[in-house]
Structure formats: structure tokens, C-alpha cells
Amino acid sequence: QVQLVQSGAEVKKPGASVKVSCKTSGYTFTNSAITWVRQAPGQGPEWMGWISTSNDDTNYTQKIQGRVTMTTDTSTSTAYMELRSLTSDDTAIYYCATAATVTSPFDYWGQGTLVSVSS
Amino acid sequence: SYVLTQPPSVSVAPGRTARIACGGNNIGSESVHWYQQKPGQAPVLVIYYDSSRPSRIPERFSGSNSGNTATLTISRVEAGDEADYYCQVWDSSSDHPNWVFGGGTKLTVL
């Protein structure tokens, strides 16, 4: 079955960077792109961006463009999301999910990674 | 940017039908997807492209979309359906196309 397993919780100070991993299994990694979504405490989901696993094309939301980098490692079927210059507003649960294309719904989700930003 | 409006809460008795609305300007011309999120869990896709249902989702879940309102309908509601539900649309109208989520509706099973 399709599984997306994310890295563990992180605690960061303002100004630092965080890199979250998303290891996939149960399907052919390059057949589906990876999208990243975050959810602040008590809030709804917020889309962050998308990366093609076949050619590494990316599409980031304007709000965080310039601070985020999404990458993949096809040898390990793993996707990564790095967010820099963290502030308290970046405190959230970060999810990876599969999506056929940038405009496709999000089929399968990881369990989420809590990133806390505090001085 | 495109705005999706959902009622904060819907309550329904077990066995009855729950309808969760998602309002947006001419949303009937967009494709709407719905997610269920239980406390402490990741969202789960329950309806995609307005009315299609993943095979792992019970037939009790259905969707429709017309005019300015998309609707998620849950028939024969069970206690296990209690969750937050979010609608989602791809906003291609702006200079920077973007996924938009509604604010979410908390479904309470009485």
C-alpha cells in the first residue's frame, strides 16, 4: 500500500532553517508528484508548493517563494522540503502528499511533521 | 485571490444526512475536492473533481457542485464521521495560481 513517512518533530529558533523528509513506498516514485501543505495550530491547511518527481520542476506559493526549496532523491524515493529564515508564523504541522500533477487532488498524505519555532 | 466559505460547524444525529456547503464565486465552474481530517491525523481525500469518490471511501460520501455552492453530503452518518471537513479549489485566476482551502467545517455527530 502507498505510504509516506515523514521525519520527526523539530524545534527551531527564529532565523534558522528546517528540512523535512518524506520517504515514500508502495508505488513508483516518479509516477506521482509530491506536494507540501502546512497547517498552523487550529487553522486550515495551507498549500506550500509542488515538485515533479520526474523532472524536478517546482511550483511554490508566492507567500514563501524565496524561503523554500523542494527536492527529491529518486534513489531512495524520498522528497525533501527546506524552509529558511523561520519565524514564529512558521510554527505548524507540515505534510507531504502525492498528486498526479500540480492541479490534481492530493491522494495520499504523510503523517505530518510538527515544526515549532520559538526563541 | 479566490475565497472559499464554509460554515464553522454542522451537527447531525446518527443515521441522518449531513450536508456541508462550500461557497465561492461561480464555484460551479471549478473542480472541488473535499478532505476529512480527524483530530491528530492527516487529511484524507474523500471526494475529488466535485463528485468522484476514492475506492477506499464509503459510498455514503457524495459531492455536488453548481452555481456558487459545492456540497459534500454524508448519508447515514456514523459516529466515526465526526471530523473537520475542508473543500479545496485550484485558483488559476490570479497572477500566481495557487491551491485554496476553505476554512473548514467541524461535523459533530449528536
Side-chain angles (χ1 to χ4, degrees):
Chain A
Q1 72 281 21
V2 175
Q3 284 194 310
L4 288 75
V5 179
Q6 299 183 222
S7 48
E10 303 263 13
V11 179
K12 296 292 182 181
K13 294 197 179 302
S17 299
V18 68
K19 190 170 186 177
V20 178
S21 68
C22 171
K23 184 169 177 57
T24 72
S25 61
Y27 72 102
T28 301
F29 184 64
T30 51
N31 282 355
S32 191
I34 296 292
T35 195
W36 288 88
V37 174
R38 68 181 180 179
Q39 190 169 27
Q43 303 297 311
E46 176 189 23
W47 181 66
M48 299 179 67
W50 170 96
I51 181 166
S52 166
T53 54
S54 57
N55 62 14
D56 282 341
D57 276 353
T58 55
N59 186 324
Y60 302 139
T61 188
Q62 188 182 17
K63 181 177 178 180
I64 56 171
Q65 190 152 16
R67 292 202 297 133
V68 66
T69 302
M70 296 176 186
T71 57
T72 64
D73 182 346
T74 54
S75 69
T76 60
S77 301
T78 302
Y80 299 91
M81 187 284 300
E82 181 181 32
L83 189 62
R84 301 176 292 278
S85 302
L86 294 169
T87 72
S88 57
D89 288 343
D90 295 315
T91 293
I93 298 174
Y94 288 74
Y95 295 100
C96 59
T98 59
T101 71
V102 68
T103 59
S104 299
F106 307 161
D107 303 297
Y108 297 92
W109 295 61
Q111 84 277 17
T113 296
L114 175 61
V115 175
S116 300
V117 183
S118 174
S119 55
Chain B
S1 64
Y2 197 76
V3 176
L4 296 174
T5 302
Q6 297 182 239
S9 63
V10 167
S11 299
V12 64
R16 303 302 293 266
T17 297
R19 294 179 179 83
I20 298 173
C22 175
N25 184 33
N26 198 27
I27 196 173
S29 66
E30 310 292 342
S31 292
V32 179
H33 314 301
W34 291 90
Y35 299 86
Q36 174 195 68
Q37 187 176 32
K38 296 182 179 179
Q41 297 184 21
V44 171
L45 180 67
V46 293
I47 293 290
Y48 61 102
Y49 294 119
D50 298 341
S51 59
S52 295
R53 182 177 40 81
S55 57
R56 59 190 180 274
I57 301 301
E59 293 182 5
R60 301 183 295 103
F61 287 78
S62 62
S64 62
N65 185 17
S66 179
N68 292 317
T69 305
T71 304
L72 172 69
T73 301
I74 309 172
S75 304
R76 302 180 300 282
V77 167
E78 302 173 357
D81 298 330
E82 192 162 280
D84 293 325
Y85 291 84
Y86 296 94
C87 56
Q88 178 199 33
V89 162
W90 174 253
D91 177 16
S92 60
S93 63
S94 69
D95 290 341
H96 300 276
N98 193 38
W99 279 109
V100 177
F101 287 90
T105 298
K106 180 175 180 60
L107 176 67
T108 298
V109 180
L110 301 171

